[in-house]
C-alpha cells in the first residue's frame, strides 16, 4: 500500500480516483498488502462492534454476499490532520482507472461511531467491479477518543461547513465554530472531495434511523439505499434548515450526490453486513457525473 501525501492547493490531479496511480503502486498492491491496522481511537461504546465477525455469519438470502478481499487498499492517503494532530486517512479500493467513484465516511460525530464497523466491512468487501471506492473510517478521531460529538474544540463538524454556515448556534451541541471551515477536519474533507470528485458520498450518523431525503439530489439513490438498508426514508431538516453540513456543501458545489444516513442506535453484525452491501450498491447505481 502506498501512503500518499495530503493534496496541496493547486496540485496536479486527474480524473477517476483523483491522483496518478502508477505501475509501482499497482505492483505493490498485487503482492498482497496487509490489512491496515484498525484505526479506531479510544474506547468503543457498547453499541459499537469491537470487531466484525467473518462473512460466514452474515445473513443468507437475497443478493449473493460478495466474498471478502484478501488484500488491503490499493492506496492510502492522509487527507489532513485533526486539531490534535491525528491523521485523517482515506483508503482506496477497486480500480484505480475507474471513473465511477464513491466515498464512504464512517463517522464525523464522535458520539456516533456505528458507521465505523460499516466502513471497515466495506473495506473488507472492496469496491464493486469497475468502480473506485474511498473509505474514510473516521473524520473526527479527537471527538471519538473522548466520546464527544464535536472535535477537540467542540466544534460540530457537520455545522462548520461552508454551505450557508450560520454563526448562530443552537449551542452548545451544534456549535458551528468561529467561522466557516475554521476546523482542519472540515478543510480536509473539502479538499479531499474536491480532488477525488466522487459521484456519490455516503456519510453515516446516528441514531435517527433513516436515510435522509432533505434536499436530496438523487431520489432514486435515497429510496434504493433505504430499501436495501431496511431503514425508512426521512427528511432530516435540522429542525428548520441545515447549515454548514457536509451534505449541503457537497450537493450544492459538486456534481455528485451526497447522502446523510442516520443509522440505528444499536448496531450488530447482520446490520453491518446489510449496510455495507447497500453502500456498494450505491456506487454502482449512481450516474458517472465526473467522467
Ligand atoms: Zn451526526
Amino acid at each position: 500500500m502506498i501512503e500518499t501525501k495530503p493534496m496541496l492547493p493547486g496540485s496536479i490531479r486527474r480524473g477517476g480516483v483523483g491522483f496518478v496511480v502508477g505501475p509501482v503502486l499497482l505492483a505493490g498492491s498485487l503482492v498482497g498488502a496487509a490489512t491496515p491496522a484498525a484505526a479506531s481511537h479510544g474506547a468503543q461504546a457498547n453499541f459499537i462492534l469491537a470487531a466484525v465477525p467473518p462473512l460466514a455469519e452474515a445473513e443468507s438470502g437475497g443478493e449473493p454476499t460478495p466474498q471478502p478481499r484478501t488484500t488491503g487498499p490499493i492506496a492510502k492517503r492522509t487527507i489532513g490532520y485533526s486539531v490534535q494532530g491525528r491523521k485523517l486517512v482515506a483508503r482506496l479500493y477497486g480500480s484505480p482507472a475507474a471513473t465511477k467513484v464513491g466515498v464512504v465516511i464512517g463517522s464525523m460525530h464522535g458520539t456516533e461511531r456505528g458507521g465505523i464497523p460499516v466502513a471497515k466491512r466495506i473495506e473488507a468487501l472492496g469496491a464493486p467491479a469497475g468502480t473506485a471506492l474511498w473509505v474514510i473510517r473516521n473524520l473526527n478521531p479527537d471527538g471519538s477518543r473522548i466520546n464527544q460529538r464535536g472535535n477537540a474544540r467542540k466544534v460540530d463538524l457537520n455545522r462548520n461547513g461552508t454551505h450557508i454556515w450560520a454563526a448562530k448556534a443552537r449551542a452548545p451541541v451544534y456549535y458551528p465554530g468561529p467561522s466557516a471551515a475554521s476546523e482542519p477536519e472540515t478543510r480536509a474533507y473539502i479538499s479531499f472531495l474536491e480532488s477525488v470528485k466522487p459521484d456519490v458520498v455516503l456519510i453515516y450518523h446516528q441514531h435517527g434511523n433513516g436515510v435522509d431525503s432533505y434536499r436530496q439530489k438523487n431520489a432514486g439513490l435515497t429510496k434504493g439505499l433505504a430499501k436495501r438498508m431496511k431503514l425508512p426514508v426521512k427528511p432530516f431538516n435540522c429542525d428548520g434548515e441545515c447549515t454548514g453540513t457536509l451534505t449541503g456543501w457537497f450537493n450544492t458545489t459538486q456534481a455528485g450526490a451526497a447522502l446523510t444516513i442516520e443509522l440505528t442506535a444499536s448496531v450488530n453484525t447482520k446490520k453491518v453486513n446489510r449496510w455495507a452491501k447497500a453502500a456498494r450498491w450505491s456506487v454502482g447505481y449512481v450516474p458517472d457525473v465526473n467522467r
Side-chain angles (χ1 to χ4, degrees), residues 109 112 149 205-206 262:
H109 287 142
E112 303 167 4
R149 176 183 174 91
H205 292 262
Q206 282 174 298
E262 289 276 354

Side-chain angles (χ1 to χ4, degrees), residues 131-143:
T131 71
L133 186 50
W134 287 95
V135 178
I136 299 171
R137 295 175 184 173
N138 192 353
L139 259 180
N140 184 12
D142 295 350

